[in-house]
Amino acid sequence: MKNRRAFLYGATALAGAWMANGLDGVWVDGRSDQAIAATKQNRASSGARSLRERAEAKGLLYGAAVETRGLSETDFADCLARECSILVPENELKWARVRPSQNQFNFAGSDRLAEFASQHQMKFRGHTLVWHGSVPAWLTETATSRNAEELLENHISTVVKRYAGRVHSWDVVNEAVYLGSEGVNGLRNNLWHRLLGPSYIDTAFRTAAAADPNALLVYNDYGLDIDDDEQNARRARVLQLLERLKSDGVPVHALGTQAHLWAGESRFNPTKLRQFLRDVADLGLKILVTELDVVDRNLPRDIARRDRGVADTYRAYLDAALDEPAVIGVLTWGLSDRRTWLTRSRPRRDGAPVRPLPFDSQMRPKPAYEAIAAAFDAAPDR
Ligand code: G3I
């Protein structure tokens, strides 16, 4: 077994190094097809383990955000089941999708994803119970300071109870920190904050805990990754919120750090990231990397060089993050370039299709795949 593992690591490391170093001869035509084909060959011949297996070998979860439409594509569904040990609905559990009207819950999409996870021995996580995004018009029109708490509690209780005992974790509150001028003491003045004040956060977590005592309850946020004034301040405010929640006995169990990264970002400071994650862990919290992807907008058009820059960004971030034992899992926000929010939200100026995720649009593993795999292999055991 040991020899086999050594062979596997050797072969994979070689492929990984080869991909990451991008030996110029390999990239001479600027296409990464050969490299991707070689990875595929290397993985097939070496019986390489999946991201799921390589993460599990270190006591970690690896998974992805998925939309139901992906389950209808055989190649995507096969890859999802093979490579992931956890999935999260990208949109199906947001208010606008799950609650089309006050008296109607629509769980068709999330049930399908939960069923797929169950069939493939995958964990299922929920996203998200409270957010300023994906708010249906009926809620904005209906909610008042008098009925807001009941509306919030009824929604959370109904949705969480549906999956109680079958869910790994919930993003209970998403993106509550906001340091701009419209914020209030560093909190986003979202619908719930306007109607209930900051205690909406406490209410959300307490309601979710009552509905499913076994779920890991997560506070999820973005912009916690690099060393610049804004994100340094965001990390401090998130930490302050978590400290306040913990000191008030609010049942928050983990931080979700979204980690929407940018390739070519010079301000990534692994020391600062490590310290932040350690400070979170010192509160007794676990950590999930919840929405990892890498924007390639600022990289050259050449696919080989872009794939390499994206891979290097994944590796640098994960090497730092996975050093923190409180980090229990990593989810990418999507699995394949075939479908990513970045196509519309962070398009390239040259119009070239974006390439932010571990698999290309034909479900072939990219250098990013090798980088994530190598980071799992290098991670300390949990
Ligand atoms: O499904 C409809 C389609 O029927 C319709 O034709 C089309 C018209 O535009 O809209 C489609 O719905 C879109 C949905 O994505 C599915 O693709 C919504 O308009 C669009 O707003 C929605 O965007 C999602 C966004 O959150 C807002 O909810 C993105 O897919 C999703 O990746 C993004 O994810 C967020 C996380 O939840 C929180 N963290 C940030 C992250 C990125 O913004």
Side-chain angles (χ1 to χ4, degrees), residues 3 43 46 63 69 140 195 197 234 240 253 258-259 280-281 318-319 327 358:
N3 291 339
R43 290 168 41 69
S46 65
R69 53 182 156 172
T140 309
L195 297 176
R234 284 186 59 80
Q240 186 188 25
H253 309 132
Q258 293 182 13
V280 171
L318 288 175
D319 277 352
V327 173

Side-chain angles (χ1 to χ4, degrees), residues 235-266:
R235 282 195 295 276
R237 187 62 183 90
V238 164
L239 208 52
Q240 186 188 25
L241 171 63
L242 294 172
E243 284 164 347
R244 198 280 292 169
L245 292 172
K246 291 295 287 181
S247 66
D248 287 350
V250 174
V252 53
H253 309 132
L255 167 71
T257 180
Q258 293 182 13
H260 292 294
L261 308 177
W262 285 71
E265 171 56 70
S266 60

Side-chain angles (χ1 to χ4, degrees), residues 99-272:
R99 195 84 177 275
S101 69
Q102 184 165 3
N103 305 316
Q104 189 191 358
F105 286 86
N106 175 8
F107 292 111
S110 47
D111 282 356
R112 206 170 146 216
L113 288 162
E115 180 54 29
F116 183 92
S118 170
Q119 283 169 350
H120 297 282
Q121 297 76 48
M122 297 166 73
K123 297 185 186 305
F124 180 70
R125 74 180 312 264
H127 172 87
T128 174
L129 297 170
V130 179
W131 186 33
H132 65 278
S134 188
V135 175
W138 70 264
L139 179 61
T140 309
E141 292 153 7
T142 311
T144 66
S145 54
R146 284 187 311 281
N147 67 13
E149 189 160 50
E150 196 281 328
L151 271 170
L152 182 62
E153 289 172 343
N154 171 262
H155 181 82
I156 292 174
S157 193
T158 305
V159 175
V160 173
K161 280 178 180 172
R162 187 175 186 87
Y163 299 103
R166 296 189 286 151
V167 79
H168 168 266
S169 53
W170 274 102
D171 288 336
V172 176
V173 173
N174 190 42
E175 304 177 9
V177 164
Y178 184 80
L179 303 178
S181 56
E182 307 80 63
V184 179
N185 300 324
L187 295 180
R188 193 181 300 272
N189 204 19
N190 61 34
L191 172 75
W192 304 109
H193 189 281
R194 290 196 299 276
L195 297 176
L196 297 172
S199 67
Y200 82 89
I201 299 171
D202 309 44
T203 301
F205 277 96
R206 293 187 197 284
T207 307
D212 185 356
N214 300 313
L216 190 79
L217 302 182
V218 181
Y219 172 72
N220 194 49
D221 217 328
Y222 66 90
L224 307 172
D225 319 308
I226 65 172
D227 181 4
D228 75 347
D229 292 347
E230 185 203 351
Q231 295 206 12
N232 291 340
R234 284 186 59 80
R235 282 195 295 276
R237 187 62 183 90
V238 164
L239 208 52
Q240 186 188 25
L241 171 63
L242 294 172
E243 284 164 347
R244 198 280 292 169
L245 292 172
K246 291 295 287 181
S247 66
D248 287 350
V250 174
V252 53
H253 309 132
L255 167 71
T257 180
Q258 293 182 13
H260 292 294
L261 308 177
W262 285 71
E265 171 56 70
S266 60
R267 294 165 297 178
F268 175 63
N269 181 335
T271 305
K272 285 218 170 173

Side-chain angles (χ1 to χ4, degrees), residues 67 69 90-91 94 127 175 258 291 333 341 344:
E67 287 197 295
R69 53 182 156 172
E90 185 169 356
N91 293 302
K94 294 173 181 173
H127 172 87
E175 304 177 9
Q258 293 182 13
E291 304 185 15
W333 201 245
W341 71 290
R344 285 199 296 180

Side-chain angles (χ1 to χ4, degrees), residues 36 51 62-67 69-71 73-84 90 292-294 296 307 310 314 331-344 353-366 368-369 372:
I36 287 173
L51 289 177
Y62 168 71
V66 183
E67 287 197 295
R69 53 182 156 172
L71 303 187
E73 300 161 3
T74 307
D75 59 348
F76 182 92
D78 289 350
C79 182
L80 175 67
R82 182 183 68 248
E83 299 291 338
C84 296
E90 185 169 356
L292 183 61
D293 51 22
V294 177
D296 68 358
D307 282 358
V310 166
Y314 273 112
L331 292 98
T332 45
W333 201 245
L335 191 59
S336 153
D337 300 337
R338 180 181 299 177
R339 216 175 355 262
T340 165
W341 71 290
L342 295 173
T343 297
R344 285 199 296 180
V354 297
R355 295 173 65 88
L357 290 167
F359 291 86
D360 71 8
S361 56
Q362 299 163 69
M363 304 312 301
R364 301 178 302 177
K366 294 158 54 187
Y369 177 97
I372 295 168

Side-chain angles (χ1 to χ4, degrees), residues 1 39 57 77 147 255 283 320:
M1 185 54 184
T39 297
N147 67 13
L255 167 71
L283 294 175

